[in-house]
Amino acid sequence: MHILIYSYNYHPEPIGIAPLMTELAEGFVERGHKVRVITGMPNYPEREIYEGYRGKWYVTEEKNGVTIQRSYLRIKSKPNLIDRLLLELSFVLSSLPQALKGERPDVIILTTPPLLVTLPATLLGWLYNCPVVLNLQDILPEAAVRVGLLKNKLMIRGLAALEKFAYRTARSISVITESFSDNLVSKGVPVKKIVCIPNWVNVNFIRPLPKKSNPWISTHQLHDKFVVLYSGNIALTQGLETVIAAAARLRDIREIAFVIAGESTALTRLQNYCLSCGADNVLLLPLQPREELPQMLAAADVGLVVQKCNIISFNMPSKLPLLLASGCAIVGSVPATGTAAKAINESGGGLVVKPESPAALAEAVLDLYHNPVLAAQLGKKGRQFALERYSLEQALDHYEELFSQIITKRSPICQSQLRAKESVESAIDL
């Protein structure tokens, strides 16, 4: 079948939804499907267009059998709320011509956020008479309101209306955790429209590896260290100050080293916090190349998942399947009733402690440092859980099954849709 993926983020962006959508697209190609991706110019997480893509309106590439059609983005390195909305709007307007340049898809996968992308994807679904599957990575605008990013009541109501529109017009909604399902059902979304397909990990790429002779450890001089790792996005939902404060509590144990890998702009702020706390046992690194990810995760004795107290049911860290697959023990400084805590507890691969509590986080790290047998047991259980629940192959199976079900229910295309599509394409050509 011909699959169109509408995703703001894609390769070569190193974290978040981009690696997931890249693996999914390339996985479909390996199974014999034709895949086209509509995406923006790469910019995440630094919010700066990558070199080689700057100053361009459109770029079409092919990577590992996937056709990638990129479009212009209006982007600011330090965006306010208006800048964020203009960024989304620029992608909506610039991506539609690209989406119309290609053969008719059998199904469209739309990843959100951003919410505004629902509009062109819905139009495409109508013009092409093909079902749209909404892949829900975060619950918006609820998430933005909870972390204080969105306060304007008029804008909140507008985005809430757009959220309802997205749920109503999608043929099916794939959520990454069951708590998302509960949230949607409470908002009136029919249960039959929702399918839970957790975010995945390539368990052959991310796997347990020996620490001995690990080149990543050698490069960063972490020999004989008990490594506590946080790697990924550094945003409002995390609160990495908790990790640094916990490290400061353990700075007298020189064998314990904390490593934080993230975007360089955020690292500057964290460096200042390290100095103020006296946390000289924290190594701050830029985001590592994806090819080094297996070795970096293998270097960790403990992998951290960190969230603030108000992150309950609208966010699921994409790093969690990666940590489980790597076979390292996890410490989750996350709300006890949240989605991340539920996943960690269900996997048996880690410990959950009170969020935003440096004392609780430091105590959990110290317990695992003194009990390597427990750490090894947690890592083994986590790896097994990843194999059973989070493998890329399982996600591909679920999506193929879903596509088969909804494509067979597609109604015949009418002449008005054909004329509308031809009119839109003609207007774009002009």
Side-chain angles (χ1 to χ4, degrees), residues 193-222:
K193 184 179 274 194
I194 306 169
V195 57
C196 184
I197 304 177
N199 279 344
W200 49 90
V201 57
N202 186 334
V203 294
N204 297 317
F205 178 61
I206 304 297
R207 63 195 190 280
L209 296 170
K211 289 190 69 172
K212 186 177 181 180
S213 302
N214 184 321
W216 196 86
I217 290 177
S218 299
T219 298
H220 300 288
Q221 300 178 5
L222 293 169

Side-chain angles (χ1 to χ4, degrees), residues 326-389:
S326 73
C328 74
I330 294 173
V331 173
S333 174
V334 296
T337 58
T339 54
K342 181 179 179 181
I344 294 170
N345 289 329
E346 187 179 0
S347 71
L351 309 174
V352 174
V353 302
K354 182 181 178 181
E356 298 186 67
S357 171
L361 180 55
E363 183 180 356
V365 169
L366 194 59
D367 285 345
L368 293 175
Y369 170 70
H370 287 306
N371 194 342
V373 173
L374 173 60
Q377 290 173 344
L378 293 174
K380 186 175 181 180
K381 288 181 180 179
R383 171 66 182 180
Q384 186 60 38
F385 191 80
L387 291 172
E388 294 172 356
R389 296 287 296 276

Side-chain angles (χ1 to χ4, degrees), residues 278-396:
D280 59 356
N281 55 342
V282 178
L283 174 62
L284 299 176
L285 298 173
L287 286 170
Q288 302 295 285
R290 185 157 180 80
E291 59 269 18
E292 295 183 17
L293 189 57
Q295 294 292 345
M296 180 180 71
L297 292 175
D301 296 281
V302 172
L304 297 180
V305 178
V306 186
Q307 292 179 329
K308 290 186 175 180
C309 295
N310 57 356
I311 309 301
I312 303 297
S313 62
F314 53 78
N315 180 277
M316 178 62 137
S318 58
K319 65 174 62 60
L320 186 52
L322 292 170
L323 292 172
L324 291 169
S326 73
C328 74
I330 294 173
V331 173
S333 174
V334 296
T337 58
T339 54
K342 181 179 179 181
I344 294 170
N345 289 329
E346 187 179 0
S347 71
L351 309 174
V352 174
V353 302
K354 182 181 178 181
E356 298 186 67
S357 171
L361 180 55
E363 183 180 356
V365 169
L366 194 59
D367 285 345
L368 293 175
Y369 170 70
H370 287 306
N371 194 342
V373 173
L374 173 60
Q377 290 173 344
L378 293 174
K380 186 175 181 180
K381 288 181 180 179
R383 171 66 182 180
Q384 186 60 38
F385 191 80
L387 291 172
E388 294 172 356
R389 296 287 296 276
Y390 291 137
S391 76
L392 173 60
E393 293 303 315
Q394 287 174 314
L396 290 168

Side-chain angles (χ1 to χ4, degrees), residues 44-364:
Y44 192 74
E46 303 294 351
R47 298 191 181 280
E48 181 177 330
I49 302 296
Y50 290 13
E51 191 172 349
Y53 296 92
R54 295 171 191 162
K56 297 181 179 180
W57 280 92
Y58 295 110
V59 173
T60 298
E61 306 170 309
E62 184 168 313
K63 179 180 180 291
N64 295 334
V66 179
T67 300
I68 308 165
Q69 294 174 291
R70 302 186 184 276
S71 59
Y72 166 82
L73 298 175
R74 178 198 182 274
I75 195 160
K76 299 287 186 180
S77 59
K78 296 181 179 180
N80 56 31
L81 184 57
I82 298 300
D83 288 327
R84 291 175 187 272
L85 289 174
L86 289 175
L87 167 60
E88 291 188 23
L89 187 60
S90 70
F91 181 55
V92 167
L93 296 175
S94 65
S95 64
L96 185 57
Q98 284 285 67
L100 288 166
K101 292 179 181 178
E103 68 179 83
R104 173 184 174 278
D106 296 300
V107 65
I108 298 172
I109 307 177
L110 165 67
T111 65
T112 61
L115 264 179
L116 281 176
V117 184
T118 303
L119 300 175
T122 301
L123 176 61
L124 283 172
W126 182 76
L127 290 174
Y128 285 121
N129 188 39
C130 69
V132 175
V133 175
L134 180 64
N135 172 244
L136 200 61
Q137 292 289 325
D138 286 299
I139 304 291
L140 292 177
E142 187 175 336
V145 173
R146 284 284 189 93
V147 300
L149 184 63
L150 186 60
K151 297 178 182 179
N152 184 289
K153 292 183 179 180
L154 183 61
M155 195 168 291
I156 291 172
R157 287 198 294 270
L159 289 175
L162 184 58
E163 179 190 17
K164 290 181 181 179
F165 172 80
Y167 298 158
R168 185 176 68 253
T169 56
R171 182 71 59 84
S172 185
I173 304 171
S174 68
V175 296
I176 59 177
T177 174
E178 290 293 349
S179 64
F180 281 23
S181 301
D182 298 336
N183 187 295
L184 267 58
V185 170
S186 72
K187 295 173 180 175
V189 179
V191 175
K192 63 181 180 180
K193 184 179 274 194
I194 306 169
V195 57
C196 184
I197 304 177
N199 279 344
W200 49 90
V201 57
N202 186 334
V203 294
N204 297 317
F205 178 61
I206 304 297
R207 63 195 190 280
L209 296 170
K211 289 190 69 172
K212 186 177 181 180
S213 302
N214 184 321
W216 196 86
I217 290 177
S218 299
T219 298
H220 300 288
Q221 300 178 5
L222 293 169
H223 293 290
D224 302 320
K225 295 290 187 180
F226 184 86
V227 177
V228 183
L229 173 70
Y230 177 90
S231 175
N233 190 28
I234 301 174
L236 290 173
T237 55
Q238 274 88 42
L240 268 292
E241 291 81 4
T242 299
V243 176
I244 293 171
R249 287 172 172 265
L250 300 174
R251 62 181 177 269
D252 292 335
I253 305 176
R254 304 312 297 177
E255 290 80 12
I256 299 179
F258 284 74
V259 178
I260 298 176
E263 58 269 32
S264 58
T265 52
L267 293 181
T268 301
R269 173 175 53 84
L270 294 182
Q271 178 65 57
N272 293 332
Y273 196 74
C274 286
L275 293 173
S276 67
C277 290
D280 59 356
N281 55 342
V282 178
L283 174 62
L284 299 176
L285 298 173
L287 286 170
Q288 302 295 285
R290 185 157 180 80
E291 59 269 18
E292 295 183 17
L293 189 57
Q295 294 292 345
M296 180 180 71
L297 292 175
D301 296 281
V302 172
L304 297 180
V305 178
V306 186
Q307 292 179 329
K308 290 186 175 180
C309 295
N310 57 356
I311 309 301
I312 303 297
S313 62
F314 53 78
N315 180 277
M316 178 62 137
S318 58
K319 65 174 62 60
L320 186 52
L322 292 170
L323 292 172
L324 291 169
S326 73
C328 74
I330 294 173
V331 173
S333 174
V334 296
T337 58
T339 54
K342 181 179 179 181
I344 294 170
N345 289 329
E346 187 179 0
S347 71
L351 309 174
V352 174
V353 302
K354 182 181 178 181
E356 298 186 67
S357 171
L361 180 55
E363 183 180 356

Side-chain angles (χ1 to χ4, degrees), residues 1-3 32-35 105-107 399-401 403-404 407:
M1 71 182 78
H2 181 196
I3 302 167
H33 302 293
K34 186 173 183 179
V35 181
D106 296 300
V107 65
Y399 272 113
E400 284 185 328
E401 182 180 358
F403 295 163
S404 296
I407 288 173

